[in-house]
Amino acid sequence: GAPPDALTVTELTVAYGPVRALRAVSLRVPAGGAVAVLGANGAGKSTLLRAISGVLPFHGGEIRGGRIEADGRDLRGRRADAIVADGIVQVPEGRQIFARMTVAENLRAGALTASRRGVAETYDLVMRLFPVLAERQRQRAGLLSGGEQQMLAIGRALMARPRLLLLDEPSLGLAPIVIDRIADTIRDIRRQDIAILLIEQNAALALDLASHAYVLEVGRVALSGPAAELAATDEVRRRYLGDN
Ligand code: ATP
């Protein structure tokens, strides 16, 4: 049969104290697939990623119901580092690179394996995906442009050899031409058989990159379907793509 989904979220409910941020949210990311989650500020997108990556408790949040499964295994209640070791790696919003370390040091910090050969192989792959980083390996990361820092953050996540990459607003604060380059890279990553869950306020970008998309509105899935179909609906065009 078909391989198990890279991620299956079923009826997930999350709260921060009295504030319910997600209400019975269900979604799936097929193995190697690219899925986008759209939504306005506060719709619950970051909360969804925090619940999957296991960092929700650090933000004062709590899973109140539902399931999160990857490759058929339950992620609920597991530690964030164990989830990374399982191949689910988040690229945080705002990049969070180590500004005083070099590009090469930032990348090596993302590696999990102790095998020098394994690290070297993955490092070479990242250099091929990001020629810009290859040119700047010995530079301090803090001196990179915003777009280069986003590439470094994605490259660092790839060093952990993920099966599923969680991308939190990769276009945030970047100029359109830079966003185009990030988009090209995300397409290259898809070709490496890495599944992607992309959280974006830039709906045009998200619907272009993903094959399926979910629209979150105040903590619920309001719409979902193939990206091309969603992009053609009146509601998505008006509310998220800025058409009149
Ligand atoms: P943004 O794009 O602004 O990050 P979002 O779609 O990612 O928005 P979330 O950040 O997941 O949305 O927030 C969903 C809801 O949960 C909002 O009502 C928000 O105010 C609330 N919330 C988020 N983080 C916390 C927190 N640490 N403590 C309390 N409430 C929170």
Side-chain angles (χ1 to χ4, degrees):
D5 288 342
L7 180 75
T8 316
V9 174
T10 313
E11 303 265 311
L12 181 68
T13 295
V14 169
Y16 300 97
V19 181
R20 288 252 206 118
L22 294 179
R23 297 154 187 263
V25 166
S26 297
L27 63 83
R28 48 183 293 264
V29 182
V35 169
V37 177
L38 318 179
N41 261 324
K45 306 183 298 301
S46 301
T47 299
L48 175 65
L49 282 199
R50 288 171 187 163
I52 296 164
S53 63
V55 301
L56 190 64
F58 302 109
H59 294 269
E62 186 188 31
I63 295 177
R64 295 276 170 85
R67 290 198 306 281
I68 306 174
E69 285 152 335
D71 278 305
R73 266 179 301 174
D74 197 351
L75 297 186
R76 275 191 62 174
R78 300 191 54 207
R79 284 168 39 148
D81 54 351
I83 291 172
V84 171
D86 236 15
I88 297 167
V89 182
Q90 181 167 359
V91 180
E93 182 184 330
R95 348 227 203 266
Q96 298 175 26
I97 50 139
F98 306 118
R100 306 180 68 155
M101 286 166 49
T102 67
V103 166
E105 287 165 346
N106 267 274
L107 291 172
R108 295 217 167 83
L112 294 178
T113 165
S115 137
R116 285 179 74 173
R117 185 138 167 251
V119 174
E121 268 177 30
T122 314
Y123 191 92
D124 289 346
L125 168 71
V126 172
M127 292 296 105
R128 285 199 301 279
L129 284 170
F130 301 99
V132 174
L133 298 183
E135 288 163 19
R136 290 170 173 58
Q137 292 175 62
R138 271 171 267 282
Q139 264 187 31
R140 277 197 191 192
L143 298 175
L144 301 179
S145 70
E148 290 161 355
Q149 290 188 7
Q150 180 62 63
M151 292 181 195
L152 179 57
I154 296 173
R156 188 177 57 188
L158 291 176
M159 290 297 295
R161 289 255 163 208
R163 280 179 292 118
L164 172 65
L165 196 61
L166 309 172
L167 288 165
D168 196 356
E169 306 258 5
S171 77
L172 197 73
L174 301 179
I177 187 160
V178 182
I179 294 174
D180 287 346
R181 303 215 8 229
I182 302 279
D184 287 340
T185 319
I186 293 173
R187 287 188 196 98
D188 289 341
I189 292 169
R190 281 194 70 179
R191 286 187 208 106
Q192 310 289 322
D193 260 338
I194 297 170
I196 292 175
L197 182 63
L198 171 67
I199 303 294
E200 262 298 340
Q201 280 193 56
N202 181 338
L205 174 71
L207 292 171
D208 183 34
L209 287 173
S211 50
H212 275 73
Y214 294 80
V215 177
L216 278 186
E217 280 172 14
V218 280
R220 291 185 196 279
V221 175
L223 287 169
S224 67
E229 278 178 28
L230 280 189
T233 62
D234 281 346
E235 182 174 1
V236 169
R237 292 174 57 137
R238 258 185 290 115
R239 297 188 62 166
Y240 298 98
L241 296 172
D243 289 3
N244 291 309

